[in-house]
Amino acid sequence: MILVWSMGWTLLILLVVLTVVHGNPTVMVRTGSGPTVGFDQHPNSVPLGEDIQTTTEGESEVVEEVMTTGVLNPSHYPARRAATVVQHYLNTRYGSPYRWIFLSTVHSGSAEEVAEMGRKYQLALTMQEMISNVSGQCSAELFFPGGEGQSAPQVQASCEGLHQSNTTAQEEAFYQQHRTSNNLASGNNIPDSYGHVEPSMKPFWHLGGVASSFIMLRESNESTLYNMAQVANFTQLETEKDQLRFNYHVLLHEMISQEIIHWKLLVTWSPEQGVQVLQTELQPKCHHCEAPPNTTN
Amino acid sequence: LLKHLAQTLRDLDVWMEPIDLSTPVDIRVPFTSLQTVKAFLETEDIPYSVMIMDLQVMLDEEQDQMLSARAAAPRTTDDYDYSNYHDIADIYSFQDMLVAENPNLVSKIVIGQSYQGRTLNVLKFSTGGTNRPGIWLDTGIHSREWITQASGTWFAKKIVTDYGRDAALTAILDKMDIFLEIVTNPDGYYYTHNSNRMWRKTRKPNPGSSCVGTDPNRNWDAGFGELGSSGSPCSETYRGPEAHSESEVKSIVDFVKSHGNLKAFVSIHSYSQMLLYPYGYTSTPCKDQSELHDLAMKAITDLASMYGTSYRYGSTINTIYQASGTTVDWTYNQGIKYSYTFELRDTGRYGFILPANQILPTAKETWLALMAIMEHTKDNTN
């Protein structure tokens, strides 16, 4: 499938509306307080009440990076970080229990300041679908909004060749297998400490990765690089409105801070509707897990 | 009656002979006689119960268990399973076995103790001489990066295997010594096995905080405290109260200074597939940037030749991020020119929890890069 988006500036806003209507609608709601700006909230979403406590002791380090402008070195981190954001974006659009996309190579890129609004990147990339091993060439444009507040990046991407893998049969079989609520699936530590994933757990691992991409996309900026480190656990809930439903607890690794960040997500999926993330909840860093044996506080 | 049955069906294997009327009789019944025996017992109204449905299955399982139990304790470094992850006890035993098997090539130096009192062991590979120029390799400074300790173990075995067989390695060891610290952060490593697989730092508590540990790769006295490390004990990149505050770091510092003749220093991490040279704390290019860049290119080209694994390379600050107080920035500033940081497989799909079946391929391809660096070091050392 080839996506072609107009590159014109004025159509960026149109893009927001179009993605709502397009194939894989993503309804994403962040529970609790915190600045929510524009792009990351579906116009129809209803924020749920619960406040989340995010406790962080001490200040996080301020990494003052001089933002590169002009032609980017594909080996250096600015292009790489932007390219990873494109990866997350593609997974939110096309990912499934049988389709999980990763960045393979950055071929070229450039960045420019957009006066008082943020920074725009253009990239030429190769992405790889992990299960079928099919690779595709992509061109992407991203916009990182500047200013205060946590605003999600905006991404457009067109890829060729990436969706050649025919996952329909597998997805349908998986869907049928799990839609009746006789035997609700669950699992934990995927992969385990030794990198092992039980074959029956693999689609749930992929699904966790794809669902995590919604968070990783939303949370990304030019000073972050996210990967999903592990599915801590997942539990299947009763199927509702023909959507498989799951609670997921995932560990995300943020490379620059090196932090492991815990998130809980409510995820739905069906072959037709694709992956949707209905709720996300940041988990506080587990300080009590780290209590040293003989502290006098 | 039962005795008569046993005589008739010769293939019945009586485990507990009939003694008296109140003691049960145990019989192993081959499948072919099963129906006959059951029919007989029921006809004669002798109550029975099946104790074991299928003896063979039980025997097979027991056999498997015995095999795996034996595999858990290798008696030689040839028995050791390099394609699996091991805990700290296993690796420390491995080190002692390697020394015992190769007394003329390998010795163990204890350079210090971790915060919790574990020995900090360095394997020295030497064919003689006095204070020959040396090459240092370390793995596992960040405890969750398990592919590194596993690779380090393989490197140790590789060195003893190749000495006298591989011309290039033999030439290196005839001129220089190799020092290898496999479990550079043993407290952290233990913690990743027993409490938190994702633990990175040391395990030293921080006064006034409930958060434990210092990032040993932000604790070195090179740009210490500058941008690229954190002043918060709860951060994964906490630099510590002062440079070299961690014994795991200070022990290496003391070793390097007292040795005084190291020519290369390679610190191995995961993940991202990168080969990095100084600096991380400043964007000022290091004096030997051009040579280090060219050597890095050679090294990753050799690495890729094995399985096609692609690495990026460059200075730390350009390639990954600004990081202050890092190991190789300090060693470079001490005059150890060939100072490199590796970030091994993969690029994020598995991340820190790389499957064990990638240990050998990772170790083998990385070894080619290390050989490129070591050879170049040897050729540029008097």
Side-chain angles (χ1 to χ4, degrees), chain A:
Chain A
M1 181 164 72
I2 298 173
L3 289 180
V4 180
W5 295 107
S6 167
M7 297 306 221
W9 238 111
T10 50
L11 290 175
L12 262 182
I13 294 169
L14 180 63
L15 175 74
V16 176
V17 176
L18 282 174
T19 51
V20 165
V21 171
H22 193 74
N24 277 352
T26 63
V27 177
M28 200 170 67
V29 168
R30 191 198 325 217
T31 54
S33 58
T36 50
V37 182
F39 189 83
D40 65 328
Q41 265 205 327
H42 189 291
N44 293 339
S45 70
V46 178
L48 300 177
E50 228 35 61
D51 251 283
I52 323 147
Q53 303 309 314
T54 60
T55 47
T56 38
E57 280 179 32
E59 82 294 353
S60 53
E61 87 262 23
V62 174
V63 181
E64 256 174 49
E65 295 171 325
V66 175
M67 297 304 181
T68 319
T69 301
V71 173
L72 300 177
N73 186 325
S75 273
H76 291 180
Y77 68 73
R80 195 78 189 182
R81 289 180 197 173
T84 305
V85 174
V86 177
Q87 170 192 309
H88 300 320
Y89 166 78
L90 290 171
N91 279 311
T92 64
R93 301 308 311 273
Y94 306 112
S96 83
Y98 290 91
R99 185 179 285 129
W100 198 14
I101 296 164
F102 278 85
L103 171 67
S104 179
T105 318
V106 181
H107 298 292
S108 65
S110 66
E112 63 184 272
E113 287 281 339
V114 180
E116 282 165 55
M117 293 196 64
R119 288 166 53 77
K120 188 165 88 167
Y121 285 69
Q122 292 186 331
L123 298 165
L125 311 165
T126 301
M127 292 284 179
Q128 187 175 34
E129 198 287 302
M130 273 315 185
I131 299 143
S132 63
N133 272 329
V134 168
S135 283
Q137 303 303 310
C138 302
S139 65
E141 195 172 281
L142 301 92
F143 178 67
F144 288 106
E148 302 296 311
Q150 313 276 312
S151 211
Q154 294 163 19
V155 185
Q156 309 174 56
S158 87
C159 294
E160 283 177 22
L162 201 56
H163 316 302
Q164 266 166 26
S165 57
N166 191 343
T167 55
T168 314
Q170 292 167 297
E171 289 181 10
E172 194 57 38
F174 178 78
Y175 177 66
Q176 292 304 332
Q177 181 189 359
H178 291 284
R179 70 178 297 188
T180 53
S181 310
N182 290 338
N183 210 3
L184 296 175
S186 66
N188 58 28
N189 292 333
I190 306 165
D192 69 13
S193 288
Y194 307 89
H196 177 70
V197 181
E198 277 296 301
S200 62
M201 290 287 115
K202 283 193 178 175
F204 299 107
W205 176 41
H206 307 149
L207 180 59
V210 170
S212 295
S213 299
F214 286 79
I215 301 174
M216 297 193 287
L217 173 63
R218 186 183 72 196
E219 300 292 313
S220 287
N221 58 50
E222 288 163 286
S223 299
T224 61
L225 184 70
Y226 279 98
N227 275 302
M228 181 183 76
Q230 192 183 42
V231 172
N233 62 64
F234 79 92
T235 318
Q236 186 180 3
L237 308 171
E238 297 283 328
T239 299
E240 229 175 75
K241 298 182 196 166
D242 293 328
Q243 306 299 302
L244 303 187
R245 281 163 67 94
F246 305 89
N247 274 330
Y248 265 86
H249 179 156
V250 296
L251 308 184
L252 305 184
H253 174 231
E254 199 290 293
M255 185 74 73
I256 286 76
S257 65
Q258 291 292 350
E259 296 292 333
I260 301 290
I261 307 166
H262 294 241
W263 283 90
K264 286 193 169 166
L265 312 89
L266 178 59
V267 183
T268 67
W269 176 77
S270 70
E272 224 172 65
Q273 298 295 309
V275 178
Q276 295 178 51
V277 174
L278 302 188
Q279 287 177 40
T280 65
E281 190 182 286
L282 177 66
Q283 303 301 295
K285 196 169 172 181
C286 182
H287 289 322
H288 72 268
C289 302
E290 303 165 16
N294 300 309
T295 15
T296 44
N297 268 349

Side-chain angles (χ1 to χ4, degrees), chain B residues 52-169:
Chain B
I52 300 168
M53 279 299 286
D54 187 339
L55 188 63
Q56 188 59 49
V57 166
M58 234 184 68
L59 288 173
D60 289 344
E61 280 173 11
E62 190 184 43
Q63 178 79 327
D64 284 343
Q65 278 171 26
M66 277 168 49
L67 282 173
S68 57
R70 241 187 286 147
R75 270 159 298 179
T76 70
T77 63
D78 287 326
D79 280 345
Y80 191 88
D81 186 1
Y82 297 94
S83 63
N84 256 312
Y85 294 109
H86 291 263
D87 63 17
I88 188 172
D90 279 357
I91 298 181
Y92 276 31
S93 300
F94 164 85
Q95 291 168 347
D96 291 337
M97 283 194 294
L98 194 72
V99 170
E101 293 164 19
N102 303 275
N104 295 323
L105 184 57
V106 194
S107 57
K108 182 174 86 174
I109 308 173
V110 178
I111 62 169
Q113 285 195 326
S114 70
Y115 171 73
Q116 290 173 340
R118 295 181 172 86
T119 53
L120 299 170
N121 298 336
V122 174
L123 294 176
K124 176 183 179 181
F125 301 85
S126 178
T127 60
T130 314
N131 199 229
R132 280 185 177 168
I135 294 164
W136 169 283
L137 311 173
D138 67 70
T139 53
I141 195 169
H142 286 142
S143 38
R144 63 190 179 195
E145 299 165 7
W146 281 17
I147 185 59
T148 71
Q149 298 96 337
S151 295
T153 309
W154 186 89
F155 298 152
K157 181 63 171 171
K158 178 67 170 165
I159 294 170
V160 306
T161 307
D162 274 11
Y163 181 72
R165 290 189 186 82
D166 176 78
L169 193 271

